């Protein structure tokens, strides 16, 4: 599958994009506040360009939004997107997807699959993990379509062990500049058992321009692999402690401001870290439980892959929200096994081994705002 037209979208960014990776010493603090100087681009036009590049690939799985309640004009929705996009260096050099052709992982086209997914759902807040092309791809391009971003790399990213890597992977958080004002950003290195770990988180405090309401949003990626359940639980506990402090500092009331936490937790719902979040004093709820008939069950999977060790289908990704601060208006449905296909993920029609999670939230009206 050639990509003869795959330079069209990025030709408009040729002044700033480079195929060379950033020096490994460059950190997020040097570029977090930088904004692209390009004119605003039309997201719909860029989406069409992505579709043109990908015209020879199978279409992405169709997914419908399942509405849970009616929103009101006085309480606008906030669309949240959570996605582990699969670091390019790991996909090509470490993860060993035995049923995925290497051609399907070619960055020259795979980046368009990622961008097509983002531009299709047009989230107001975008939370990503395994981002190793932040500075040369996502930050400049998403800035052009109205997003402001922040990136926190892993201190010892496994991407750096791969030849010809593009630098460390990490978490990235983007938000619509039109919808929100940034009040503050914290970059956290998670601890476990009194030790600093290789996992990180970003916490942004945003003020909604439509409603004047303030909330915090966090993105994280916990330790992977079986056998590390206690470690993940400790990381989750540390993150919850930090979130409680940050939210309380921003709020005018003792309970603090509402919170959204997105992440690849690398943990099934029966793990302790999941139970910690569900029982947290922050009163968090998982948005995707609203898809179940009982409202208490997560999807059957958010990741489905085949490696040399065998096939793995697991629920690892979550969008947590303050149940006293937000209501869930709609949730993007999960694709079927038939849509995913027998070779699982990633594939020619889907760029990551994790599915994106997308939900529409709205603020619960505070009593004094109803008067």
């Amino acid at each position: 599958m050639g990509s003869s037209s795959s330079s069209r979208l990025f030709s408009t960014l040729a002044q700033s994009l480079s195929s060379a990776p950033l020096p490994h010493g460059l950190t997020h603090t040097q570029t977090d506040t930088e904004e692209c100087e390009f004119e605003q681009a039309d997201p719909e036009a860029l989406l069409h360009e992505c579709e043109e590049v990908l015209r020879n690939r199978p279409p992405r799985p169709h997914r419908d939004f399942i509405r849970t309640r009616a929103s009101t004009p006085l309480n606008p929705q906030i669309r949240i997107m959570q996605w582990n996009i699969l670091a390019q260096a790991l996909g090509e050099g470490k993860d060993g997807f035995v049923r995925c052709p290497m051609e399907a992982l070619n960055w020259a086209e795979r980046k368009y699959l990622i961008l097509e997914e983002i531009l299709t759902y047009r989230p107001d807040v975008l939370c990503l993990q395994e981002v190793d092309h932040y500075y040369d791809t996502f930050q400049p391009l998403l800035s052009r379509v109205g997003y402001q971003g922040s990136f926190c790399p892993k201190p010892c990213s496994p991407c750096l062990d791969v030849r010809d890597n593009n630098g460390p992977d990490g978490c990235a958080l983007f938000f619509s500049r039109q919808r929100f004002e940034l009040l503050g950003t914290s970059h956290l290195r998670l601890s476990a058992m009194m030790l600093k770990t290789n996992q990180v988180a970003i916490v942004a405090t945003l003020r909604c321009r439509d409603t004047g309401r303030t909330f915090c949003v966090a993105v994280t990626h916990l330790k992977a692999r079986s056998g590390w359940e206690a470690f993940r639980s400790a990381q989750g506990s540390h993150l919850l402690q930090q979130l409680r402090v940050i939210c309380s500092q921003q709020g005018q009331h003792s309970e603090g401001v509402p919170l959204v936490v997105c992440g690849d937790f690398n943990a099934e719902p029966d793990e302790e870290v999941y139970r910690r979040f569900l029982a947290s004093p922050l009163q968090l709820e998982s948005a995707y439980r609203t898809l179940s008939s009982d409202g208490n069950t997560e999807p059957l999977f958010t990741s489905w892959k085949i490696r040399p060790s065998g096939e793995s289908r697991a629920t690892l990704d979550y969008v947590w929200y303050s149940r006293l601060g937000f209501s869930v208006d709609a949730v993007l449905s999960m694709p079927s096994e038939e849509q995913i296909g027998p070779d699982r993920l990633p594939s020619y029609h889907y760029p990551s081994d994790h599915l994106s999670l997308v939900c529409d939230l709205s603020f619960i009206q505070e009593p004094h705002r109803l008067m």
Side-chain angles (χ1 to χ4, degrees), residues 331-345:
V331 176
L332 186 65
S333 64
M334 306 303 287
S336 66
E337 178 178 356
E338 182 181 8
Q339 288 177 302
I340 289 175
D343 294 332
R344 309 316 183 199
L345 306 174

Side-chain angles (χ1 to χ4, degrees), residues 232-264:
R232 282 190 287 272
S233 180
Q235 287 183 324
S237 179
H238 177 239
L239 178 58
L240 287 168
Q241 292 171 3
Q242 296 300 306
L243 291 173
R244 196 172 183 184
V245 170
I246 293 171
C247 289
S248 64
Q249 289 174 342
Q250 297 295 332
Q252 297 179 350
H253 311 290
S254 58
E255 64 270 20
V257 298
L259 172 67
V260 177
V261 186
C262 297
D264 174 1

Side-chain angles (χ1 to χ4, degrees), residues 65-340:
F65 276 96
I66 309 300
R67 302 209 64 81
T68 61
R69 60 183 289 272
S71 60
T72 65
L74 298 178
N75 210 10
Q77 293 176 342
I78 299 172
R79 176 159 292 180
I80 308 289
M81 184 173 189
Q82 147 61 30
W83 198 15
N84 179 330
I85 62 172
L86 175 61
Q88 184 63 23
L90 300 183
E92 287 189 306
K94 278 202 165 191
D95 280 340
F97 301 116
V98 295
R99 300 278 287 274
C100 179
M102 287 300 295
E103 187 181 14
L105 295 172
N106 178 11
W107 183 244
E109 286 191 358
R110 193 174 80 88
K111 62 188 175 186
Y112 290 96
L113 275 173
I114 297 172
L115 292 167
E116 181 189 40
E117 183 92 349
I118 295 170
L119 292 170
T120 294
Y121 299 119
R122 211 80 49 87
D124 299 304
V125 177
L126 172 63
C127 295
L128 303 176
Q129 300 86 39
E130 291 199 23
V131 178
D132 61 349
H133 278 272
Y134 178 82
Y135 295 107
D136 66 358
T137 301
F138 295 106
Q139 192 275 339
L141 184 63
L142 292 177
S143 177
R144 282 201 71 210
V145 292
Y147 289 95
Q148 183 171 333
S150 185
F151 175 65
C152 187
K154 295 175 183 174
C156 301
S157 168
C159 291
L160 301 179
D161 298 329
V162 179
R163 184 178 178 181
D164 298 327
N165 66 78
N166 198 61
D169 77 301
C171 293
L173 191 155
F174 293 91
F175 63 89
S176 165
R177 293 193 299 266
Q178 182 179 8
R179 292 291 312 274
F180 308 110
E181 174 191 1
L182 179 65
L183 302 182
T185 307
S186 299
H187 289 222
L188 309 177
R189 183 174 179 181
L190 301 183
S191 295
M193 305 167 188
M194 305 297 291
L195 298 173
K196 291 183 178 179
T197 73
N198 193 38
Q199 281 65 49
V200 298
I202 303 173
V203 187
T205 304
L206 305 176
R207 178 180 290 128
C208 179
R209 299 186 191 275
D210 293 329
T211 65
R213 303 282 294 274
T214 299
F215 68 104
C216 288
V217 59
V219 55
T220 194
H221 188 185
L222 302 187
K223 175 67 180 174
R225 298 188 179 91
S226 61
W228 292 86
E229 291 80 5
F231 196 83
R232 282 190 287 272
S233 180
Q235 287 183 324
S237 179
H238 177 239
L239 178 58
L240 287 168
Q241 292 171 3
Q242 296 300 306
L243 291 173
R244 196 172 183 184
V245 170
I246 293 171
C247 289
S248 64
Q249 289 174 342
Q250 297 295 332
Q252 297 179 350
H253 311 290
S254 58
E255 64 270 20
V257 298
L259 172 67
V260 177
V261 186
C262 297
D264 174 1
F265 279 56
N266 278 304
E268 292 268 24
D270 60 357
E271 273 200 32
E272 183 181 0
V273 66
Y274 182 93
R275 295 192 294 272
R276 279 188 181 273
F277 268 72
L278 203 57
S280 165
L282 291 167
Q283 302 192 66
L284 300 174
E285 179 59 270
S286 174
Y288 264 73
R289 300 202 325 167
T290 61
L291 281 180
S292 64
S293 58
D294 62 3
N296 294 313
T297 307
E298 295 288 352
L300 292 176
F301 56 88
T302 63
S303 176
W304 202 341
K305 67 199 81 174
I306 303 176
R307 285 173 166 161
S309 57
E311 187 166 353
S312 172
R313 188 183 78 163
T315 300
L316 307 174
D317 308 271
Y318 306 96
V319 177
W320 297 94
Y321 67 96
S322 299
R323 64 173 69 99
L324 299 182
F326 293 105
S327 292
V328 180
D329 294 335
V331 176
L332 186 65
S333 64
M334 306 303 287
S336 66
E337 178 178 356
E338 182 181 8
Q339 288 177 302
I340 289 175

